[in-house]
Amino acid sequence: MAMSKSANIYSRQAWEESDFPILCNTCLGDNPYVRMTKEKFGKECKTCARPFTVFRWCPGARMRFKKTEVCQTCAKTKNVCQTCLLDLEYGLPVQVRDAALKLQDEMPKSDVGKEYQMQNIEREIANSDGANPVGTLGKAPANDMLLKLARTAPYYKRNRPHICSFWVKGECKRGEECPYRHEKPTDPDDPLADQNIKDRFYGINDPVADKLMRRYSEMPKLNLPDDKAITTIYVGNLGDQITESDLRDHFYQYGELRSITVASKQQCAFVQFVSRGSAELAAEKSFNKLILKGRRLNVKWGKSHGASGATVVREESVKSLEPVPGLPHVVPPPPEDFFNLSAMPAPYSMPPLPMPMFPRPVGAPPLLGHMGPLRRPPPPPPHGMPFPPGMRMLPPGAMRPPPPPFHHHRMPAAGPPSIHYPSQDPALMGAAHGKVDA
């Protein structure tokens, strides 16, 4: 089979020429104004070895340049992206999709068989609308496994640049201008580090597919509640766009609805059915595969109204906890007479404290509260009038005698001093025996 461009035979006519690639949303990127370079018959397809039109573009800022790897005929045969070779509808590897749909790979491995099958596929594509995959893949219905593992949003992290090998060796001198990632590489023994385009296309020995299959086997299952009266389903992760009418339109197909309660602040809703059979059917069909307006919703069984929650709380509170080793023992409570208060008499009251006896200076004014309010001395009588009785005229230049010193407390009587504090009581512990200081 001649593969030169100058050969004027059928092989030259079978070379593929296209105006736009077949890509998934992840590979295309989030830039609506993406610019591509187009090269007719730039490379050979990595699966059928036919020359095809190669497209090259950058999906976004700080992303690596990407290009198409297989021709459009091979991409339409498997319904995959020309770059990442993942399914266009579910975003999954071919091996996972074929295992879920129970499809057998019928692609021939010889060059003659590939050429013959490509002619049949091109004829079938020309007779179809081009929107749906051809062959047995287009006739296969949706599967529970595919709906649970399907990727609903683009994964732009897959478009990041490769790791800089010079930075790993400590020899990169570009710094922030380096277009590659300065990160530590993963374990070379990791199966995800060894991926092959042909294995991905034919669906054999794909490490990504094996990882997804293990994830599906470990997914939680929705168990039926023991209470047969429960007919309510909890729906979470609603967001702001999903309304009550959207939930009603979806869940009404499983049976008659009793009520739908939407909690906008918690972004959840409670869908109650009339019969238990309708609720079980809705939970089975919607668990881990309900997608409304591009959002994957969480579906669980509701809880019964009553003492279910109180019973759980009571059991948790009653359940005994195991002691932690190494901790000290519990401190015993203090004795009743910890402060030795039993020795004090019951009607014990502290006597009033005496005021200190300091001599007052001569001519000081009297103290308030003890001598009554201050009073001004009576004014002298007018000129020519006699003094009242008890008052006498002082000669000019004479000084009034000072008043006697005032003591607002009596001197204590002779004898033992009084006890003012409990610590001064000789009967108590710690008191000084003998003479007690006042």
Side-chain angles (χ1 to χ4, degrees), residues 293-310:
K293 293 185 177 181
R295 294 182 65 91
R296 181 182 294 275
L297 306 184
N298 300 329
V299 177
K300 300 179 182 179
W301 279 100
K303 296 182 180 180
S304 60
H305 300 282
S308 60

Side-chain angles (χ1 to χ4, degrees), residues 398-425:
M399 297 293 293
R400 183 181 297 274
F406 173 76
H407 301 284
H408 65 281
H409 272 288
R410 289 185 174 183
M411 293 294 294
S418 60
I419 298 175
H420 304 300
Y421 299 97
S423 60
Q424 297 177 346
D425 191 355

Side-chain angles (χ1 to χ4, degrees), residues 366-406:
L367 297 176
L368 298 179
H370 301 277
M371 296 296 294
L374 290 177
R375 297 180 180 179
R376 294 184 179 182
H383 181 69
M385 295 187 65
F387 281 88
M391 296 185 64
R392 60 187 182 84
M393 183 70 177
L394 294 177
M399 297 293 293
R400 183 181 297 274
F406 173 76

